[in-house]
Amino acid sequence: MDTDIGALTVIFTEFYYWVTVPLMFLIHVGFCMYEVGASRHKNHMHTVMKNTMLMPLVTITFFFFGWWIYFAFPNGPGITGGLTQSDNAVPWSELMGTHLGGPGPALESAQGYGAELGNGFWNRLNGVFWAAFLLFSWTAASIVSGATIERIRPTAFWILAVVIGSGTWIIDAAWGWHPDGWMVTQLGYHDAYASGVIHAIAGGFALGVIVVLGPRIGKFAPDGTPRNINPHNKWLVTIGLFLIYCGFWGFYVACNVPIIDHGTLGGAEGVVNFTATTIYLTPTTLSAIVFNFLMSLSGGLLAGYVVSKGEAFWTYSAGLAGVITASAGNDLYHPIQAMLIGAVGAVCAYKLHFWVERRFKLDDPVGAVAVHGYAGFIGLVICGFMLWGHPATAAYHETVAVITPWGQFAGAVIMFGVLGFLPAFIVSKILMGLGMLRVPPAVELVGLDMSEEIAEEMDAIEVSEADIAEAKRLGLLT
């Protein structure tokens, strides 16, 4: 920040990330409305509280170790190197608190974000960048929430939320989103707007939980035929999904670095080339987001309407699946490509959801595994073919990795299976073994809001008795 342009760059970047936070907050408002709309009346407050309390739990754990993992784990560790110095992300760092531009701790490496502005770049931006990543963490955990409604114990869900929100998802971000991550530099992994880094991992994680958790009582007939437990309020589901669409604008722009001197970043002397970049520090524009987000949403909605024969729940969910499928390459696709890829992903997610439900008797009430997991996986694989040969790494790397189908497929397996399904299955097995995962059948039958409703009824009786006593004291009753 030694020059006017440097100061303006930092202040603009600080404001840019700050704006993404309330926009992404809308995703969680949408998730709450969507899940309440999809659940039955007897489970509403449990559904909302389960989704709400993940926010403070993931926030606190992300402060203590999640943020550190992103900066310390790009090399594996042990795959391409050891732990990376991450002075700005340890909880006792001067920058993990109120800081107004002082010197801060020196970073060992000046490469990467804000390299041309030196170590002072992080003095103003650490908090807002942390917050943007934290909202990604909430999203990953909330995706799992929808798949487990109406039968999971809240404590078990919150443990699982911390595992993915401050553990496994941020490991995958260090590997596949950090510009120096080993998957980026070794596999050419490209996932600009998080088909895999958020959605495939969360979908795989949700699948690992529901395999152990089992279906809701009454979901399957004695012969194994699935029954429809319809959303109790499709209007609420619709509004919830529209709010998630709105939140995706913040999600998308938070996946970009708004302004960097790419000439300096690439080592070119005397060249000034300010541009927005992806999170990999490869050049892009916000126009690409505007075109491709809306075109992939449109492709998903149209395909979902056709394949579901106009069924409202799946039409809106297919719009989301369309965006998620195209997200891996939406920095580079032509808008028509984004629309077609969104349509393909929506159809595949819809078909796979019902095939898995019939074949394996798995109960995913909101289709979270399909919309996020299958669509994210498919989007990564499609990206490998469509962007085959494009550079995947930032300009300062000596060896340029390129995008390939096999690199993207390997990345999809790691995101969905290794960091998603596997840890969720293991932790869920442990919780089930301890009797902590699922509510008793009697509680499930009367509803998870039972204790709260009993308490409200007792309050009403107490107030009524007090009213009667006061009426008698005044002689109004005998």
Side-chain angles (χ1 to χ4, degrees):
M1 296 178 62
D2 295 336
T3 63
D4 290 345
I5 193 70
L8 287 172
T9 299
V10 171
I11 292 169
F12 173 73
T13 305
E14 181 182 18
F15 182 72
Y16 174 95
Y17 282 118
W18 180 83
V19 169
T20 68
V21 174
L23 280 173
M24 284 196 283
F25 212 102
L26 290 176
I27 292 176
H28 301 279
V29 178
F31 271 128
C32 285
M33 298 180 73
Y34 177 69
E35 291 182 24
V36 168
S39 62
R40 287 167 284 184
H41 176 73
K42 59 185 180 180
N43 297 312
H44 286 172
M45 286 314 300
H46 173 268
T47 300
V48 173
M49 291 305 294
K50 175 168 65 70
N51 219 343
T52 300
M53 293 311 294
L54 74 85
M55 294 158 59
L57 292 168
V58 173
T59 298
I60 293 168
T61 51
F62 195 76
F63 178 87
F64 280 106
F65 56 84
W67 193 222
W68 173 77
I69 289 173
Y70 178 68
F71 289 96
F73 278 45
N75 297 324
I79 299 174
T80 57
L83 290 174
T84 303
Q85 183 180 351
S86 49
D87 291 345
N88 64 302
V90 291
W92 52 86
S93 166
E94 183 181 357
L95 298 188
M96 292 294 282
T98 305
H99 193 78
L100 297 176
L107 302 180
E108 187 175 69
S109 170
Q111 287 185 330
Y113 311 119
E116 75 282 8
L117 298 172
N119 293 331
F121 182 80
W122 283 107
N123 295 348
R124 295 291 291 261
L125 300 183
N126 199 41
V128 288
F129 207 48
W130 172 84
F133 268 67
L134 172 64
L135 270 289
F136 293 139
S137 301
W138 291 1
T139 300
S142 287
I143 291 168
V144 179
S145 171
T148 63
I149 58 173
E150 300 197 320
R151 74 270 204 210
I152 195 170
R153 288 181 185 268
T155 305
F157 171 74
W158 294 327
I159 291 171
L160 290 162
V162 169
V163 170
I164 186 172
S166 294
T168 57
W169 110 263
I170 197 66
I171 292 174
D172 88 19
W175 291 1
W177 238 15
H178 192 293
D180 300 328
W182 75 266
M183 287 176 59
V184 181
T185 59
Q186 305 303 308
L187 301 179
Y189 179 78
H190 185 80
D191 190 10
Y193 302 104
S195 290
V197 171
I198 295 288
H199 299 287
I201 185 176
F205 199 95
L207 182 63
V209 177
I210 64 174
V211 165
V212 181
L213 185 62
R216 289 169 291 175
I217 294 173
K219 174 61 184 175
F220 293 97
D223 65 354
T225 304
R227 298 188 179 107
N228 288 326
I229 303 178
N230 290 314
H232 99 281
N233 188 331
K234 291 187 178 181
W235 283 99
L236 208 58
V237 169
T238 302
I239 295 171
L241 278 167
F242 266 101
L243 285 172
I244 293 173
Y245 295 162
C246 293
F248 254 71
W249 290 99
F251 189 100
Y252 256 51
V253 296
C255 297
N256 275 9
V257 179
I259 181 168
I260 275 184
D261 180 359
H262 213 259
T264 304
L265 186 62
E269 295 184 4
V271 175
V272 177
N273 178 24
F274 280 102
T275 181
T277 71
T278 66
I279 201 158
Y280 304 114
L281 303 179
T282 53
T284 189
T285 68
L286 294 180
S287 287
I289 293 174
V290 174
F291 275 129
N292 290 347
F293 175 84
L294 290 173
M295 291 294 277
S296 56
L297 175 64
S298 300
L301 283 169
L302 285 170
Y305 184 84
V306 172
V307 75
S308 71
K309 298 181 174 58
E311 201 278 322
F313 184 82
W314 276 101
T315 297
Y316 293 110
S317 294
L320 196 58
V323 174
I324 290 167
T325 308
S327 288
N330 256 350
D331 57 323
L332 294 170
Y333 291 147
H334 186 279
I336 296 175
Q337 287 178 316
M339 178 192 67
L340 294 174
I341 291 169
V344 169
V347 173
C348 291
Y350 178 83
K351 295 289 187 183
L352 279 169
H353 171 80
F354 289 104
W355 181 79
V356 169
E357 183 180 85
R358 289 192 304 272
R359 178 70 177 80
F360 299 102
K361 307 295 181 287
L362 295 178
D363 181 15
D364 178 4
V366 300
V369 177
V371 171
H372 299 274
Y374 305 152
F377 190 104
I378 292 165
L380 290 173
V381 175
I382 292 174
C383 176
F385 287 98
M386 300 299 295
L387 301 180
W388 197 340
H390 278 273
T393 48
Y396 61 79
H397 289 100
E398 293 182 1
T399 303
V400 176
V402 297
I403 302 167
T404 62
W406 47 88
Q408 290 297 105
F409 180 76
V413 171
I414 291 170
M415 294 299 169
F416 186 90
V418 177
L419 292 173
F421 179 87
L422 194 59
F425 182 80
I426 293 171
V427 175
S428 297
K429 275 286 189 184
I430 294 171
L431 292 171
M432 184 66 96
L434 295 173
M436 295 174 59
L437 186 64
R438 183 161 181 153
V439 298
V443 175
E444 185 176 345
L445 286 170
V446 298
L448 280 76
D449 292 348
M450 176 184 63
S451 60
E452 185 160 332
E453 289 180 356
I454 289 175
E456 289 177 357
E457 188 68 24
M458 293 298 292
D459 288 343
I461 291 172
E462 185 178 354
V463 171
S464 178
E465 289 176 346
D467 287 345
I468 292 171
E470 182 64 10
K472 287 180 177 178
R473 189 184 69 80
L474 295 173
L476 300 174
L477 283 177
T478 57

